[in-house]
């Protein structure tokens, strides 16, 4: 069950919220846990044990780490983190590892190893990261462990962020589980934010999706084929994932929680370093705090700093999926981050004008997205070959008949929204807190309801379209 589905909109969410507000505050954590487990079980009941097991392991290991001292603390942390990584490795990377091994064996003339493909539980990467960050924070003594298993289990399973983030630390919500306000203004803000994300996902991302599929499916894409597909995917991914984040933030607000922002106009960045301060900010923060710093950060010399930057992004790429495309995408970004840092340290970084740095950074991002989206490395290089015009320039006949005017118009609207929203000084959809104030926010809010209705109508007419980040 996904947020952009009729079952969620007209069955799960109304029932959940009605019961939630009928219960006293002390009973709401239990209801959050029940509702979140029910939502997760809608996909596969048999994987609920994994979610519950990760939760229980993190809870009891954290208590044990807190009670211990000396080397014992690190030993317990190592065991706990290893168990989490083993679960992630088995379910997410076993297929990739075995298929890579088989490819090597086949190339050497040996028979491939046979195995039954392993199904990846949805949300696994996210709730594993939530558990690891909690354990590391307890080890670092940045916060005391919670004694309330119910609240902790509700945090791990909290359905707005369970499937595809944002990646949150427990201490961000710990106090909110103990006390939070529920007001009409906060609920209205949440509803407005949810509707905005829903419209971004259904009206923009889903409309562009067939064009992306068609272009990346070309066996010999032309110059216009490749660039059209790359630009379309750049917009689709942003509106799909930022739309999900808007919906998650909105759902949390309807329950009285405050989630941190996850996007801040990433396509106006003037460097890749700035891009990662604006794109998927919760993941960027997690990678910096628990991986980059864990590798040594900038404390072990200049060369090691560059290596740590690059390695963090390579592992971040691998976290997104078990495919060489994600590893190369992470390598691309990690290499650029290291180069930018070196240029700044050597004072070679010049204050170029924004009309040059914004398009330049966007070009680097788009080139990375091609590798990120491609089914495999050869498919990515077919797109790069087309982007260089090596397969001809005009739009190919095999693609031209699949391009709809509605898709091109939607791309234009999406591009305008990407660059007009920062001028307005507010994130697209972040208008709920200004519902009763005069100005552009009122216009946006009034326009939002018919857009939401239109999105529901479109949703009912189209096939199932999960969020792109569900695969990660």
């Amino acid at each position: 069950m996904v947020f952009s589905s009729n079952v969620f909109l007209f069955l799960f969410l109304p029932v959940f919220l009605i019961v939630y507000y009928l219960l006293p505050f002390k009973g709401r954590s239990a209801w959050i846990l029940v509702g979140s487990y029910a939502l997760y079980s809608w996909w596969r009941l048999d994987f609920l044990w994994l979610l519950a097991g990760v939760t229980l392991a993190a809870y009891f290991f954290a208590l044990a780490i807190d009670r211990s001292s000396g080397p014992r603390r690190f030993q317990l942390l190592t065991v706990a983190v290893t168990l989490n990584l083993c679960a992630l490795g088995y379910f997410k990377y076993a297929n990739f590892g075995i298929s890579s091994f088989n490819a090597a064996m086949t190339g050497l003339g040996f028979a491939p190893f046979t195995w039954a493909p392993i199904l990846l539980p949805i949300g696994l990467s996210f709730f594993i990261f939530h558990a690891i960050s909690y354990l590391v924070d307890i080890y670092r003594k940045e916060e005391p462990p919670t004694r309330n298993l119910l609240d902790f289990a509700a945090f791990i399973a909290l359905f707005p962020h369970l499937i595809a983030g944002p990646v949150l630390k427990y201490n961000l919500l710990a106090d909110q589980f103990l006390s939070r306000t529920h007001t009409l203004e906060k609920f209205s803000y949440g509803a407005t934010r949810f509707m905005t994300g829903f419209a971004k996902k259904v009206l923009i991302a889903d409309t562009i999706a067939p064009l992306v599929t068609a272009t990346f499916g070309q066996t010999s894409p032309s110059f216009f084929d490749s660039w059209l597909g790359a630009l379309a995917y750049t917009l689709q991914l942003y509106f799909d994932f930022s739309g999900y984040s808007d919906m998650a933030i909105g759902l949390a607000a309807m329950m009285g929680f405050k989630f941190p922002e996850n996007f801040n106009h990433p396509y106006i960045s003037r460097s890749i370093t700035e891009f990662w301060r604006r794109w998927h900010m919760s993941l960027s923060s997690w990678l910096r705090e628990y991986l980059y710093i864990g590798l040594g950060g900038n404390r072990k010399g200049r060369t090691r700093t560059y290596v740590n930057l690059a390695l963090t992004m390579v592992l971040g790429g691998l976290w997104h999926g078990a495919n060489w495309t994600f590893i190369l995408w992470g390598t691309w970004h990690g290499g650029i981050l290291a180069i930018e840092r070196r240029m700044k340290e050597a004072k070679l970084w010049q204050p170029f004008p924004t009309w040059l740095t914004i398009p330049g950074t966007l070009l680097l991002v788009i080139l990375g997205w091609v590798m990120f989206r491609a089914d495999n490395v050869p498919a990515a290089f077919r797109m790069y070959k087309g982007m260089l015009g090596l397969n001809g320039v005009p739009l190919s006949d095999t693609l031209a008949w699949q391009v709809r005017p509605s898709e091109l118009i939607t791309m234009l609207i999406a591009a305008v929204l990407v660059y007009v929203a920062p001028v307005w000084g507010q994130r697209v959809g972040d208008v709920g807190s200004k519902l009763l104030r005069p100005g552009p926010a009122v216009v946006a809010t009034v326009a939002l309801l018919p857009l939401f209705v239109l999105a529901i109508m479109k949703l009912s007419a189209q096939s199932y379209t999960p969020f792109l980040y569900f695969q990660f």
Side-chain angles (χ1 to χ4, degrees):
M1 188 193 309
V2 298
F3 299 163
S4 56
S5 68
N6 286 324
V7 172
F8 180 85
L9 290 174
F10 300 112
L11 178 60
F12 176 85
L13 187 58
V15 171
F16 176 85
L17 289 176
I18 289 171
V19 176
Y20 177 85
Y21 277 98
L22 288 176
L23 289 171
F25 184 82
K26 290 184 177 180
R28 288 175 178 172
S29 288
W31 179 240
I32 288 173
L33 184 61
V34 170
S36 299
Y37 276 7
L39 185 72
Y40 193 83
S41 301
W42 190 275
W43 171 70
R44 286 285 296 258
L45 179 61
D46 53 343
F47 278 118
L48 185 59
W49 68 267
L50 181 60
L51 174 59
V54 168
T55 301
L56 291 172
Y59 177 78
F60 287 110
F61 266 103
L63 292 177
I65 291 170
D66 184 63
R67 289 193 299 265
S68 302
S69 59
R72 175 81 175 157
R73 289 174 59 84
F74 183 73
Q75 293 169 359
L76 287 169
L77 175 69
T78 301
V79 172
V81 171
T82 300
L83 288 173
N84 278 281
L85 293 179
C86 284
L88 185 64
Y90 174 75
F91 285 104
K92 190 164 186 174
Y93 302 109
N95 291 333
F96 173 62
I98 295 173
S99 62
S100 298
F101 175 79
N102 280 344
M105 290 297 99
T106 302
L108 294 173
F110 295 99
F113 177 77
T114 57
W115 90 103
I118 299 165
L119 184 64
L120 174 64
I122 60 172
L124 176 67
S125 300
F126 290 91
F127 63 75
I128 289 289
F129 267 27
H130 294 147
I132 290 176
S133 65
Y134 176 68
L135 290 163
V136 174
D137 285 350
I138 300 304
Y139 172 77
R140 292 174 175 172
K141 297 184 178 181
E142 294 183 1
E143 61 175 296
T146 179
R147 262 66 181 180
N148 191 322
L149 176 58
L150 184 61
D151 282 353
F152 181 70
F155 159 75
I156 295 290
L158 188 61
F159 70 84
H161 79 132
L162 173 62
I163 306 300
V167 183
L168 302 179
K169 297 174 60 174
Y170 178 69
N171 62 11
L172 292 174
L173 297 185
D175 291 339
Q176 297 183 53
F177 273 102
L178 297 176
S179 176
R180 59 185 181 275
T181 59
H182 300 81
T183 64
L184 180 60
E185 181 181 6
K186 184 180 287 188
F187 189 92
S188 299
Y189 168 78
T192 302
R193 194 70 183 267
F194 178 86
M195 288 190 292
T196 301
F198 185 83
K200 288 165 70 174
K201 157 67 175 171
V202 176
L203 296 181
I204 297 179
D206 287 356
T207 300
I208 299 173
L211 178 60
V212 174
T213 302
T215 53
F216 275 84
Q218 297 293 301
T219 57
S220 184
S222 69
F223 178 84
F224 278 108
D225 292 351
S226 302
W227 280 103
L228 181 62
L231 291 171
Y233 183 66
T234 298
L235 294 169
Q236 181 204 7
L237 182 61
Y238 173 64
F239 279 89
D240 187 282
F241 192 26
S242 69
Y244 176 89
S245 295
D246 284 336
M247 295 168 77
I249 292 169
L251 288 168
M254 285 189 269
M255 289 184 276
F257 291 101
K258 183 179 180 181
F259 278 9
E261 293 294 338
N262 212 20
F263 290 87
N264 184 16
H265 312 303
Y267 291 157
I268 65 168
S269 301
R270 291 163 293 181
S271 66
I272 293 298
T273 302
E274 183 182 350
F275 174 80
W276 281 105
R277 295 189 186 120
R278 293 174 174 271
W279 176 275
H280 203 347
M281 295 186 291
S282 63
L283 176 63
S284 300
S285 176
W286 197 99
L287 292 174
R288 180 177 62 252
E289 188 167 350
Y290 299 102
L291 190 52
Y292 174 69
I293 292 177
L295 290 170
N298 60 358
R299 303 187 304 274
K300 297 185 177 182
R302 180 178 295 172
T303 301
R304 181 64 181 271
T305 298
Y306 304 148
V307 172
N308 290 342
L309 271 174
L311 186 57
T312 296
M313 293 308 301
V314 170
L315 294 175
L318 186 60
W319 173 85
H320 280 83
N323 195 318
W324 288 106
T325 57
F326 295 115
I327 296 174
L328 292 177
W329 172 77
T331 303
W332 171 254
H333 277 271
I336 297 173
L337 287 173
I339 291 171
E340 288 183 354
R341 187 180 183 98
R342 174 56 183 158
M343 290 178 67
K344 289 178 181 178
E345 290 177 346
K347 298 182 179 180
L348 299 174
W349 191 267
Q350 300 296 325
F352 296 108
T354 55
W355 62 263
L356 182 61
T357 53
I358 291 178
T361 300
L362 184 61
L363 175 62
L364 295 176
V365 171
I366 291 172
L367 292 174
W369 285 148
V370 170
M371 183 63 71
F372 190 86
R373 169 58 177 80
D375 293 332
N376 48 58
V377 175
F381 278 96
R382 286 197 298 269
M383 287 288 289
Y384 290 138
K385 184 178 178 182
M387 294 170 83
L388 292 173
L390 299 180
N391 296 325
V393 174
L395 195 67
S396 65
D397 293 336
T398 56
L399 180 64
W401 69 272
Q402 301 182 68
V403 179
R404 302 173 183 175
S406 60
E407 295 167 345
L408 299 179
I409 293 171
T410 302
M411 285 182 62
L412 179 60
I413 293 172
V416 169
L417 288 174
V418 164
Y419 291 103
V420 167
V423 176
W424 284 347
Q426 60 188 78
R427 294 177 180 86
V428 177
D430 193 8
V431 298
S433 60
K434 303 179 181 179
L435 286 176
L436 302 179
R437 301 180 189 178
V442 173
V443 177
T445 305
V446 171
L448 184 58
L449 190 56
L451 287 176
F452 181 62
V453 173
L454 180 62
I456 291 176
M457 295 171 62
K458 184 177 185 297
L459 175 70
S460 301
Q462 69 185 20
S463 58
Y464 173 71
T465 53
F467 290 90
L468 294 178
Y469 256 65
F470 277 19
Q471 64 184 299
F472 308 135

